[in-house]
Amino acid sequence: MPFDYKKEYREFYLPPQTPGIVTVPAMNFLGVRGRGDPNQEDGPYKQALGMLYAVAFTIKMSRLGGHSLEGYFDYVVPPLEGLWWQEGIQGVDYSRKEDFHWISLIRLPEFVTREIFDWAVREAAAKKRQDLSPVEFFPWEEGLCVQCMHLGSYDNEPATVAAMEEYAKDLGYETDFRAGRFHHEIYLSDVRRCKPERLKTVIRQPVRKAEQ
């Protein structure tokens, strides 16, 4: 059976619909940075996703192409993730999607080194005949967060976020947005095939112990 990160690390990918505190360890990702409304048809966000998946599946399918990667194991490509922020505010304002800055991510399996990453970008770019230089090797340790499974439309996320922040406050935590600490979403549903009311999204926000 292919290794499935969602099933093996349920605490990070399949939390309950009630908030909880979690400490997320260091992981490596494929990343593409951009800004603007993610709903823009054929906009930068949609283009970024195409780049990410091109490289992710080049690594995943490398064995079928006859390219042996040291330490390779069969796995399910992890879900798409996104880091979101806007200049001058804490958290995010869902009514100002055009002001979003974002980093789109796909987690890399542990055997992927920078050398393997470089090979995959070159290989995918040659096959797709596309410039994939925006894709970067993105190491990141998220640390202490409050998280929750959000069920429903992305536009209804503010209510879930408010419940998360209230839960964290009751436990003596406060939000901790700063460099390297972002509003984080993990997309468990295919928006093209899933009704909005059934979308599953893991929402995380950085927290720290509140100052007394």
Side-chain angles (χ1 to χ4, degrees), residues 19 90-92 146 158-171 173-175 177 205 207:
Q90 292 282 305
V92 294
V146 59
T160 299
V161 170
M164 291 165 56
E165 292 179 348
E166 186 65 24
Y167 171 85
K169 182 180 178 182
D170 288 345
L171 291 182
Y173 295 95
E174 62 186 8
T175 55
F177 294 108
Q205 298 210 128
V207 295

Side-chain angles (χ1 to χ4, degrees), residues 98-116:
E98 69 279 3
D99 295 333
F100 273 132
H101 294 256
W102 40 262
I103 307 174
S104 293
L105 303 170
I106 295 177
R107 182 177 179 173
L108 288 168
E110 289 74 12
F111 67 83
V112 177
T113 62
R114 288 184 181 269
E115 290 74 21
I116 290 174

